[in-house]
Amino acid sequence: MMPPAFSEAERARITEQLLATATHLFSTQGLRKTSLDELTAPAGIAKTSFYAFFTCKEDLYFEAALRQNEEVRRRVIGEGLHQGADTRDALRRFLRATVRELDTNPLYRRLMSHPEEMEAVAGRLTPERMAAAAGGPMADLVAFLGERLDGDPHVLLGVLRAVLLTPLHAGHLGADLYPAVMERLIDAVTEGLTS
């Protein structure tokens, strides 16, 4: 049976509904535990019609992440990293902005805490489709590190990413200590990298 034809307006509405539902479900349940039924029901379409919009569930996950990419980039790179008075201040601003993102953006937090999901997505999509995500915030950061600091930029990125694992374990630190711990950790790491 052929999926029904959709008008341009219907396609736009359904696509936005699929993306909104996917952002919520993938953030809370993850890729594997989210079913096509759960994704398509709020949009009012049959499971078979899903494929008129996305090639697979992983394609929808990728698109949901991609849609947030520019906003995340603006907040952590444009308003964070690029606003620093010097290299140390820039790195502090980047880390603080990224921690805020992890604390307030459930999909971004999910992507950081479950890298195997993006690996599953990459395994299902063509290299050309995956190229749409090239040059995200981490690429900007690697370029910045390569220009401003001595050492392998990928090792330096690894150090910064290690700091960003802390918000994923904030509960172990306790809500009362977490903000102070993050501030001290950010100060210690940025001072160590720039001294």
Side-chain angles (χ1 to χ4, degrees), residues 13-60:
R13 179 194 63 77
I14 292 167
T15 299
E16 290 308 312
Q17 182 62 59
L18 287 169
L19 284 163
T21 302
T23 298
H24 170 72
L25 292 175
F26 291 149
S27 298
T28 56
Q29 300 178 175
L31 178 64
R32 284 188 330 159
K33 291 184 180 176
T34 300
S35 71
L36 275 183
D37 285 327
E38 292 172 302
L39 291 168
T40 57
I45 62 171
K47 283 193 308 187
T48 55
S49 295
F50 173 84
Y51 299 103
F53 296 88
F54 295 95
T55 60
C56 56
K57 193 168 61 165
E58 290 81 1
D59 189 25
L60 176 58

Short mmCIF file of all heavy atoms in Angstrom, two decimals, residues 13-60:
data_model
loop_
_atom_site.label_atom_id
_atom_site.label_comp_id
_atom_site.label_asym_id
_atom_site.label_seq_id
_atom_site.Cartn_x
_atom_site.Cartn_y
_atom_site.Cartn_z
N ARG A 13 3.87 20.58 8.63
CA ARG A 13 3.29 20.36 9.97
C ARG A 13 3.72 19.01 10.53
O ARG A 13 4.14 18.92 11.68
CB ARG A 13 1.76 20.44 9.91
CG ARG A 13 1.09 20.19 11.27
CD ARG A 13 -0.40 19.93 11.17
NE ARG A 13 -0.77 18.74 10.42
CZ ARG A 13 -0.69 17.49 10.89
NH1 ARG A 13 -0.22 17.25 12.10
NH2 ARG A 13 -1.06 16.46 10.14
N ILE A 14 3.63 17.98 9.72
CA ILE A 14 3.96 16.62 10.18
C ILE A 14 5.46 16.53 10.51
O ILE A 14 5.85 15.94 11.53
CB ILE A 14 3.53 15.57 9.14
CG1 ILE A 14 1.99 15.52 9.08
CG2 ILE A 14 4.11 14.20 9.47
CD1 ILE A 14 1.44 14.76 7.89
N THR A 15 6.29 17.10 9.66
CA THR A 15 7.73 17.09 9.91
C THR A 15 8.04 17.75 11.24
O THR A 15 8.82 17.21 12.05
CB THR A 15 8.50 17.77 8.76
OG1 THR A 15 8.25 17.06 7.55
CG2 THR A 15 9.99 17.82 9.04
N GLU A 16 7.46 18.91 11.49
CA GLU A 16 7.70 19.62 12.75
C GLU A 16 7.20 18.80 13.94
O GLU A 16 7.86 18.75 14.98
CB GLU A 16 7.08 21.01 12.74
CG GLU A 16 7.78 21.98 11.81
CD GLU A 16 9.28 22.07 12.01
OE1 GLU A 16 9.73 22.21 13.18
OE2 GLU A 16 10.03 21.98 11.02
N GLN A 17 6.05 18.16 13.79
CA GLN A 17 5.52 17.33 14.88
C GLN A 17 6.42 16.12 15.13
O GLN A 17 6.69 15.77 16.28
CB GLN A 17 4.09 16.86 14.57
CG GLN A 17 3.47 16.05 15.69
CD GLN A 17 3.34 16.82 16.99
OE1 GLN A 17 2.68 17.85 17.01
NE2 GLN A 17 3.96 16.33 18.05
N LEU A 18 6.89 15.49 14.06
CA LEU A 18 7.81 14.36 14.22
C LEU A 18 9.09 14.80 14.93
O LEU A 18 9.59 14.10 15.82
CB LEU A 18 8.15 13.74 12.86
CG LEU A 18 7.04 12.92 12.19
CD1 LEU A 18 7.42 12.59 10.75
CD2 LEU A 18 6.76 11.64 12.98
N LEU A 19 9.61 15.96 14.56
CA LEU A 19 10.84 16.46 15.19
C LEU A 19 10.61 16.80 16.66
O LEU A 19 11.46 16.50 17.50
CB LEU A 19 11.38 17.66 14.42
CG LEU A 19 12.07 17.30 13.11
CD1 LEU A 19 12.21 18.52 12.22
CD2 LEU A 19 13.44 16.67 13.39
N ALA A 20 9.49 17.42 16.97
CA ALA A 20 9.20 17.77 18.37
C ALA A 20 9.05 16.51 19.21
O ALA A 20 9.60 16.40 20.32
CB ALA A 20 7.94 18.63 18.45
N THR A 21 8.30 15.55 18.69
CA THR A 21 8.11 14.29 19.40
C THR A 21 9.44 13.55 19.56
O THR A 21 9.75 13.04 20.64
CB THR A 21 7.08 13.40 18.65
OG1 THR A 21 5.86 14.12 18.53
CG2 THR A 21 6.85 12.09 19.38
N ALA A 22 10.21 13.51 18.49
CA ALA A 22 11.51 12.83 18.53
C ALA A 22 12.44 13.48 19.54
O ALA A 22 13.11 12.77 20.32
CB ALA A 22 12.15 12.85 17.14
N THR A 23 12.49 14.79 19.57
CA THR A 23 13.36 15.48 20.51
C THR A 23 13.01 15.09 21.94
O THR A 23 13.89 14.77 22.74
CB THR A 23 13.26 17.01 20.31
OG1 THR A 23 13.70 17.31 18.97
CG2 THR A 23 14.13 17.76 21.30
N HIS A 24 11.72 15.06 22.23
CA HIS A 24 11.29 14.68 23.58
C HIS A 24 11.60 13.21 23.88
O HIS A 24 12.21 12.88 24.90
CB HIS A 24 9.80 14.97 23.77
CG HIS A 24 9.26 14.39 25.04
ND1 HIS A 24 9.58 14.92 26.27
CD2 HIS A 24 8.48 13.31 25.27
CE1 HIS A 24 8.99 14.20 27.22
NE2 HIS A 24 8.32 13.22 26.63
N LEU A 25 11.17 12.32 22.99
CA LEU A 25 11.33 10.89 23.25
C LEU A 25 12.78 10.43 23.22
O LEU A 25 13.21 9.63 24.07
CB LEU A 25 10.49 10.07 22.27
CG LEU A 25 8.98 10.19 22.43
CD1 LEU A 25 8.26 9.42 21.33
CD2 LEU A 25 8.53 9.70 23.81
N PHE A 26 13.55 10.91 22.27
CA PHE A 26 14.95 10.52 22.21
C PHE A 26 15.71 11.05 23.43
O PHE A 26 16.63 10.40 23.92
CB PHE A 26 15.61 10.98 20.91
CG PHE A 26 15.11 10.28 19.68
CD1 PHE A 26 15.07 10.94 18.46
CD2 PHE A 26 14.68 8.97 19.72
CE1 PHE A 26 14.63 10.31 17.31
CE2 PHE A 26 14.23 8.31 18.57
CZ PHE A 26 14.21 8.99 17.36
N SER A 27 15.32 12.22 23.92
CA SER A 27 15.97 12.79 25.11
C SER A 27 15.68 11.97 26.35
O SER A 27 16.54 11.83 27.22
CB SER A 27 15.48 14.22 25.36
OG SER A 27 15.81 15.06 24.30
N THR A 28 14.46 11.47 26.45
CA THR A 28 14.05 10.78 27.67
C THR A 28 14.21 9.26 27.60
O THR A 28 14.53 8.63 28.61
CB THR A 28 12.59 11.10 28.02
OG1 THR A 28 11.75 10.76 26.90
CG2 THR A 28 12.42 12.59 28.34
N GLN A 29 13.99 8.67 26.41
CA GLN A 29 14.03 7.21 26.29
C GLN A 29 15.22 6.69 25.50
O GLN A 29 15.58 5.53 25.62
CB GLN A 29 12.77 6.70 25.57
CG GLN A 29 11.49 7.03 26.25
CD GLN A 29 10.27 6.55 25.48
OE1 GLN A 29 9.21 6.68 25.98
NE2 GLN A 29 10.40 6.02 24.29
N GLY A 30 15.76 7.53 24.66
CA GLY A 30 16.84 7.10 23.81
C GLY A 30 16.35 6.55 22.49
O GLY A 30 15.15 6.38 22.27
N LEU A 31 17.29 6.29 21.62
CA LEU A 31 17.00 5.84 20.26
C LEU A 31 16.34 4.46 20.24
O LEU A 31 15.28 4.26 19.64
CB LEU A 31 18.30 5.81 19.45
CG LEU A 31 18.22 5.33 18.01
CD1 LEU A 31 17.35 6.26 17.17
CD2 LEU A 31 19.62 5.23 17.41
N ARG A 32 16.96 3.49 20.90
CA ARG A 32 16.46 2.11 20.82
C ARG A 32 15.08 1.92 21.45
O ARG A 32 14.28 1.14 20.96
CB ARG A 32 17.45 1.14 21.46
CG ARG A 32 18.65 0.87 20.60
CD ARG A 32 19.53 -0.21 21.13
NE ARG A 32 19.47 -0.27 22.60
CZ ARG A 32 19.79 -1.32 23.30
NH1 ARG A 32 20.20 -2.40 22.72
NH2 ARG A 32 19.74 -1.30 24.61
N LYS A 33 14.82 2.58 22.56
CA LYS A 33 13.57 2.37 23.27
C LYS A 33 12.40 3.16 22.70
O LYS A 33 11.26 2.98 23.13
CB LYS A 33 13.74 2.70 24.75
CG LYS A 33 14.62 1.70 25.46
CD LYS A 33 14.70 2.00 26.93
CE LYS A 33 15.60 0.99 27.62
NZ LYS A 33 15.78 1.31 29.04
N THR A 34 12.67 4.03 21.75
CA THR A 34 11.60 4.81 21.12
C THR A 34 11.10 4.06 19.89
O THR A 34 11.86 3.73 19.00
CB THR A 34 12.11 6.22 20.72
OG1 THR A 34 12.56 6.89 21.90
CG2 THR A 34 11.03 7.03 20.06
N SER A 35 9.79 3.82 19.87
CA SER A 35 9.21 3.06 18.75
C SER A 35 8.66 4.00 17.68
O SER A 35 8.37 5.18 17.95
CB SER A 35 8.09 2.16 19.26
OG SER A 35 6.97 2.95 19.63
N LEU A 36 8.49 3.46 16.49
CA LEU A 36 7.87 4.24 15.42
C LEU A 36 6.44 4.62 15.78
O LEU A 36 5.99 5.72 15.45
CB LEU A 36 7.88 3.46 14.10
CG LEU A 36 9.14 3.56 13.27
CD1 LEU A 36 8.99 2.79 11.97
CD2 LEU A 36 9.53 5.00 12.98
N ASP A 37 5.73 3.74 16.47
CA ASP A 37 4.37 4.07 16.91
C ASP A 37 4.36 5.33 17.78
O ASP A 37 3.52 6.21 17.60
CB ASP A 37 3.75 2.91 17.70
CG ASP A 37 3.32 1.75 16.81
OD1 ASP A 37 2.90 2.02 15.67
OD2 ASP A 37 3.41 0.60 17.27
N GLU A 38 5.29 5.40 18.71
CA GLU A 38 5.37 6.56 19.60
C GLU A 38 5.71 7.84 18.84
O GLU A 38 5.25 8.92 19.19
CB GLU A 38 6.42 6.33 20.69
CG GLU A 38 6.06 5.27 21.69
CD GLU A 38 7.22 4.97 22.62
OE1 GLU A 38 8.32 4.60 22.12
OE2 GLU A 38 7.03 5.10 23.84
N LEU A 39 6.52 7.70 17.80
CA LEU A 39 6.92 8.87 17.01
C LEU A 39 5.80 9.36 16.10
O LEU A 39 5.62 10.56 15.91
CB LEU A 39 8.16 8.53 16.18
CG LEU A 39 9.45 8.32 16.97
CD1 LEU A 39 10.52 7.70 16.09
CD2 LEU A 39 9.93 9.62 17.58
N THR A 40 5.05 8.41 15.50
CA THR A 40 4.06 8.80 14.49
C THR A 40 2.70 9.15 15.06
O THR A 40 1.97 9.95 14.46
CB THR A 40 3.91 7.68 13.44
OG1 THR A 40 3.54 6.47 14.10
CG2 THR A 40 5.19 7.49 12.64
N ALA A 41 2.32 8.60 16.21
CA ALA A 41 0.98 8.84 16.76
C ALA A 41 0.67 10.32 16.96
O ALA A 41 -0.39 10.79 16.51
CB ALA A 41 0.79 8.06 18.07
N PRO A 42 1.54 11.13 17.58
CA PRO A 42 1.22 12.55 17.76
C PRO A 42 1.07 13.31 16.43
O PRO A 42 0.35 14.30 16.37
CB PRO A 42 2.40 13.09 18.56
CG PRO A 42 2.95 11.90 19.27
CD PRO A 42 2.77 10.77 18.30
N ALA A 43 1.74 12.83 15.39
CA ALA A 43 1.64 13.48 14.08
C ALA A 43 0.40 13.04 13.31
O ALA A 43 0.05 13.61 12.28
CB ALA A 43 2.89 13.19 13.25
N GLY A 44 -0.27 11.98 13.82
CA GLY A 44 -1.49 11.50 13.17
C GLY A 44 -1.24 10.78 11.86
O GLY A 44 -2.08 10.83 10.96
N ILE A 45 -0.10 10.12 11.75
CA ILE A 45 0.21 9.38 10.53
C ILE A 45 0.46 7.91 10.86
O ILE A 45 0.81 7.57 11.99
CB ILE A 45 1.42 9.96 9.76
CG1 ILE A 45 2.70 9.89 10.62
CG2 ILE A 45 1.12 11.38 9.30
CD1 ILE A 45 3.98 10.25 9.86
N ALA A 46 0.31 7.06 9.86
CA ALA A 46 0.61 5.65 10.01
C ALA A 46 2.12 5.44 10.00
O ALA A 46 2.87 6.27 9.46
CB ALA A 46 -0.03 4.86 8.87
N LYS A 47 2.55 4.33 10.58
CA LYS A 47 3.99 4.02 10.58
C LYS A 47 4.54 3.99 9.16
O LYS A 47 5.66 4.45 8.92
CB LYS A 47 4.25 2.67 11.26
CG LYS A 47 4.19 2.72 12.75
CD LYS A 47 4.74 1.48 13.42
CE LYS A 47 4.18 0.20 12.91
NZ LYS A 47 4.63 -0.98 13.69
N THR A 48 3.78 3.46 8.22
CA THR A 48 4.28 3.38 6.85
C THR A 48 4.48 4.77 6.24
O THR A 48 5.34 4.95 5.39
CB THR A 48 3.32 2.57 5.96
OG1 THR A 48 2.02 3.13 6.06
CG2 THR A 48 3.29 1.10 6.38
N SER A 49 3.70 5.75 6.69
CA SER A 49 3.84 7.11 6.18
C SER A 49 5.10 7.80 6.70
O SER A 49 5.58 8.77 6.11
CB SER A 49 2.62 7.95 6.54
OG SER A 49 1.48 7.45 5.89
N PHE A 50 5.63 7.30 7.79
CA PHE A 50 6.86 7.86 8.36
C PHE A 50 7.95 7.96 7.31
O PHE A 50 8.68 8.94 7.23
CB PHE A 50 7.32 6.99 9.54
CG PHE A 50 8.66 7.39 10.10
CD1 PHE A 50 8.75 8.40 11.05
CD2 PHE A 50 9.83 6.77 9.68
CE1 PHE A 50 9.98 8.78 11.57
CE2 PHE A 50 11.07 7.13 10.20
CZ PHE A 50 11.14 8.14 11.14
N TYR A 51 8.04 6.93 6.46
CA TYR A 51 9.12 6.86 5.48
C TYR A 51 8.97 7.86 4.33
O TYR A 51 9.88 8.03 3.54
CB TYR A 51 9.26 5.42 4.98
CG TYR A 51 9.58 4.50 6.12
CD1 TYR A 51 8.60 3.69 6.68
CD2 TYR A 51 10.85 4.50 6.69
CE1 TYR A 51 8.89 2.86 7.76
CE2 TYR A 51 11.15 3.68 7.78
CZ TYR A 51 10.16 2.87 8.31
OH TYR A 51 10.45 2.08 9.39
N ALA A 52 7.84 8.55 4.28
CA ALA A 52 7.69 9.65 3.33
C ALA A 52 8.42 10.90 3.85
O ALA A 52 8.61 11.86 3.10
CB ALA A 52 6.22 9.95 3.10
N PHE A 53 8.82 10.85 5.13
CA PHE A 53 9.45 12.02 5.77
C PHE A 53 10.92 11.77 6.12
O PHE A 53 11.76 12.65 5.96
CB PHE A 53 8.67 12.40 7.03
CG PHE A 53 7.28 12.84 6.73
CD1 PHE A 53 6.24 11.92 6.65
CD2 PHE A 53 7.01 14.17 6.46
CE1 PHE A 53 4.95 12.32 6.34
CE2 PHE A 53 5.73 14.59 6.15
CZ PHE A 53 4.70 13.66 6.08
N PHE A 54 11.21 10.57 6.61
CA PHE A 54 12.57 10.23 7.01
C PHE A 54 12.87 8.81 6.56
O PHE A 54 11.97 7.97 6.51
CB PHE A 54 12.73 10.35 8.54
CG PHE A 54 12.58 11.77 9.02
CD1 PHE A 54 11.35 12.24 9.48
CD2 PHE A 54 13.65 12.65 8.98
CE1 PHE A 54 11.19 13.55 9.88
CE2 PHE A 54 13.51 13.96 9.40
CZ PHE A 54 12.28 14.41 9.85
N THR A 55 14.14 8.55 6.24
CA THR A 55 14.51 7.23 5.74
C THR A 55 14.46 6.15 6.81
O THR A 55 14.25 4.99 6.51
CB THR A 55 15.92 7.24 5.12
OG1 THR A 55 16.86 7.64 6.13
CG2 THR A 55 16.00 8.20 3.94
N CYS A 56 14.67 6.57 8.07
CA CYS A 56 14.68 5.64 9.19
C CYS A 56 14.62 6.44 10.49
O CYS A 56 14.75 7.68 10.47
CB CYS A 56 15.92 4.74 9.16
SG CYS A 56 17.49 5.64 9.14
N LYS A 57 14.46 5.76 11.58
CA LYS A 57 14.40 6.41 12.89
C LYS A 57 15.70 7.17 13.17
O LYS A 57 15.68 8.27 13.74
CB LYS A 57 14.15 5.32 13.94
CG LYS A 57 13.77 5.80 15.28
CD LYS A 57 13.25 4.68 16.19
CE LYS A 57 14.24 3.60 16.45
NZ LYS A 57 13.87 2.73 17.59
N GLU A 58 16.83 6.60 12.76
CA GLU A 58 18.12 7.25 12.96
C GLU A 58 18.22 8.57 12.19
O GLU A 58 18.84 9.53 12.66
CB GLU A 58 19.26 6.31 12.55
CG GLU A 58 19.44 5.12 13.47
CD GLU A 58 18.47 3.97 13.21
OE1 GLU A 58 17.64 4.06 12.27
OE2 GLU A 58 18.54 2.98 13.96
N ASP A 59 17.60 8.63 11.01
CA ASP A 59 17.58 9.86 10.22
C ASP A 59 16.82 10.95 10.97
O ASP A 59 17.24 12.11 11.00
CB ASP A 59 16.94 9.58 8.86
CG ASP A 59 17.06 10.74 7.88
OD1 ASP A 59 17.99 11.56 8.01
OD2 ASP A 59 16.21 10.80 6.97
N LEU A 60 15.72 10.59 11.61
CA LEU A 60 14.96 11.55 12.41
C LEU A 60 15.78 12.01 13.61
O LEU A 60 15.80 13.20 13.93
CB LEU A 60 13.64 10.91 12.85
CG LEU A 60 12.75 11.74 13.78
CD1 LEU A 60 12.38 13.08 13.16
CD2 LEU A 60 11.50 10.94 14.14
#
